[in-house]
Amino acid sequence: EVQLVESGGGFVRPGGSLTLSCGVSGLTFSNAWMSWVRQAPGKGLEWVGRIKSRSVGGTTEYAAPVKGRFTISRDDSKNTVYLQMNTLKSEDTAVYYCTTITGYWGHGTLVTVSS
Amino acid sequence: QSVLTQPPSASGTPGQRVTISCSGSSSNIGSNYVYWYQQLPGTAPKLLIYRNYQRPSGVPDRFSGSDSGTSASLAISGLRSEDEADYYCVAWDDNLSAYVFGTGTKVTVL
C-alpha cells in the first residue's frame, strides 16, 4: 500500500519560515516526481511546485506565487520530500498536500500564517 | 489563478447523468494528459481518471473521462448520493511550466 505522510505544519507569524516533510512508502520513491499542492480554507486546489527524480536531474519548478520563497528538496535515502517555506504571508495559509499528482496523495498538513 | 475553467456547480437526481467540463488551452489540455479528482469535505483528493480517460482500479465505471482539443469532460452516470463532492481537473501547462488545476465543480445530488 502506498502511503504519503506529511508533517511539520503549524502556526507561524508573517515573515517566518517553516519546513514541511513528506515521508513516502510503498512505491519506488527514487523514481517518483513529487509535487506539493495547497488548499486555502474554502478554496480550490493550487499547485505549489514539484521536484523530478534524480535520474532526470532532480530539478524543481514552482508556481509563480511561491517562486523565490519556497524550496522543494528530496532525500531518496529517507524516501522523503521537503517543502521549505520562507517569508511566509497570510495568503500562504492552507492545507499542504504532498502528491505524485498522478494518483497518490497524503492527508495534508495545515499551515497557518497569522499575526 | 486557475487556468482551467470548470462550472462552479452541477446537480442531478439519483440515477441521472452529470457532465463536468474543463476548458483549457493548447498549452495544457491540448498537449498534456488530464487528471480528474474527487474531493469529499475534509479529505484529500481521490483520483478518478488519469491520462484523460483511464480509470484506476476501484473507481466505479460510472465515472468516465473524455477530451476534445483544448477541453476535457468528466461524466458521472447513475448519480448516487455519495457522489456529492467537489471535482477538479488538472493538467501540466507547457507555457507556465506548472500544473494547473481547474476552478472546481461542486456536485449536488438533489
Side-chain angles (χ1 to χ4, degrees), chain A residues 35 37 39 43-47 50 61-63 97 99-107, chain B residues 1-2 35 37 39 42-45 47 50 88 90 92 96-103:
Chain A
S35 282
V37 171
Q39 186 168 37
K43 302 298 184 181
L45 300 169
E46 179 186 23
W47 180 78
R50 79 169 176 189
E61 288 137 326
Y62 299 94
Y97 295 100
T99 173
T100 60
I101 288 289
T102 55
Y104 302 113
W105 290 65
H107 290 290
Chain B
Q1 183 178 354
S2 295
Y35 299 80
Y37 282 93
Q39 187 178 34
T43 68
L47 182 68
Y50 66 99
Y88 296 91
V90 59
W92 181 258
L96 298 175
S97 292
Y99 275 108
V100 288
F101 278 92
T103 46

Side-chain angles (χ1 to χ4, degrees), chain A residues 37 39 45 97-108, chain B residues 20 34-50 54-63 74 76 80 82-90 101:
Chain A
V37 171
Q39 186 168 37
L45 300 169
Y97 295 100
C98 164
T99 173
T100 60
I101 288 289
T102 55
Y104 302 113
W105 290 65
H107 290 290
Chain B
I20 300 168
V34 177
Y35 299 80
W36 286 93
Y37 282 93
Q38 176 193 63
Q39 187 178 34
L40 298 170
T43 68
K46 172 190 172 184
L47 182 68
L48 289 179
I49 299 291
Y50 66 99
Q54 303 286 349
R55 202 171 40 248
S57 60
V59 173
D61 59 8
R62 302 186 296 104
F63 295 92
L74 173 72
I76 310 172
R80 304 177 67 163
E82 57 260 42
D83 297 333
E84 275 207 348
D86 294 322
Y87 293 82
Y88 296 91
C89 56
V90 59
F101 278 92

